[in-house]
Amino acid sequence: ALVAFAGATLMINQFRTIDKDELVAPISEIGGPFELVDGATGKTVTEADFKGKPSAYFFGYTFCPDVCPTTLAETQGWIEELGEDADKMNFAFVSVDPERDTPEIVGDYVSAFDSRIHPLSGSQEQIDRIVKNYRVYVKKVTRTNGEYLVDHSAGVYLMDENNEFRGTISYGESHENAVAKLRRLIDNSGS
């Protein structure tokens, strides 16, 4: 149900209000500026650091019980299947839970999967900005014991070498389809 809700929310949120004369912005406006911290290096990164190669961004958090570790394991499988072509892409895991996910924690978490996946985190303001620019659904859900989970979009966002939105890989999409989408991104880029 969470995955279906997140998918529906992504579809609904593909458009946003612009102003009174222009009702909606096209889906191609997903993406935009960001400044985050790479948990593997401790360095500040921006969207410019990802320009020049296609990118696959997944938004999640380290306390996620199932979707995030599953998607990171699938991403690891895609990278392995792509072989040397995987180096022609950027892969990133962006935390949507900066309250718990410091850059170091995200770096440790992602290192269990593949070193080519950039572990990104930052301040609440930095995360709010990328979530807004990428139209990511995020909602903190407090449980009765006081702990919380974070509902979030479950798809992988695919951007071309110019940081322009090109589509998604849906949660649970077949390995073959996901790899085919990544290969198309690589083949259609200048990398």
Side-chain angles (χ1 to χ4, degrees):
L2 171 65
V3 173
F5 178 74
T9 302
L10 177 61
M11 295 302 294
I12 291 167
N13 285 331
Q14 289 178 346
F15 301 95
R16 64 176 171 81
T17 301
I18 300 298
D19 62 32
K20 64 182 180 181
D21 298 322
E22 187 177 358
L23 296 178
V24 294
I27 189 171
S28 63
E29 289 193 26
I30 291 176
F34 65 82
E35 182 177 289
L36 297 169
V37 178
D38 187 314
T41 65
K43 293 182 181 177
T44 299
V45 295
T46 71
E47 72 287 349
D49 294 302
F50 290 84
K51 205 165 185 178
K53 293 198 269 187
S55 299
Y57 293 94
F58 177 64
F59 296 83
Y61 67 114
T62 64
F63 284 78
C64 183
D66 46 23
V67 172
C68 299
T70 300
T71 302
L72 283 167
E74 289 173 343
T75 303
Q76 180 179 11
W78 306 334
I79 290 170
E80 290 169 2
E81 172 107 5
L82 289 170
E84 290 181 6
D85 284 342
D87 294 331
K88 297 177 182 176
M89 283 200 65
N90 299 304
F91 297 88
F93 173 81
V94 181
S95 174
V96 295
D97 184 15
E99 185 177 329
R100 293 183 291 198
D101 286 349
T102 65
E104 297 79 18
I105 288 172
V106 175
D108 287 344
Y109 181 73
V110 173
S111 71
F113 297 95
D114 193 290
S115 63
R116 290 170 284 189
I117 303 171
H118 296 273
L120 305 178
S121 187
S123 68
Q124 186 66 57
E125 294 76 23
Q126 289 171 317
I127 298 303
D128 288 346
R129 183 174 189 191
I130 192 169
V131 162
K132 179 181 177 191
N133 287 344
Y134 280 74
R135 316 291 187 261
V136 178
Y137 168 76
V138 176
K139 182 178 180 184
K140 186 175 179 180
V141 179
T142 304
R143 303 171 92 183
T144 55
N145 63 2
E147 294 182 13
Y148 67 90
L149 297 173
V150 181
D151 288 346
H152 58 88
S153 301
V156 176
Y157 290 64
L158 302 176
M159 311 299 282
D160 69 15
E161 69 276 11
N162 297 311
N163 293 329
E164 293 179 8
F165 180 73
R166 292 295 173 231
T168 62
I169 297 173
S170 300
Y171 179 71
E173 188 165 342
S174 76
H175 177 83
E176 294 77 19
N177 283 349
V179 172
K181 288 179 178 183
L182 296 172
R183 286 198 188 281
R184 272 195 306 275
L185 263 181
I186 293 167
D187 291 345
N188 291 326
S189 76
S191 59

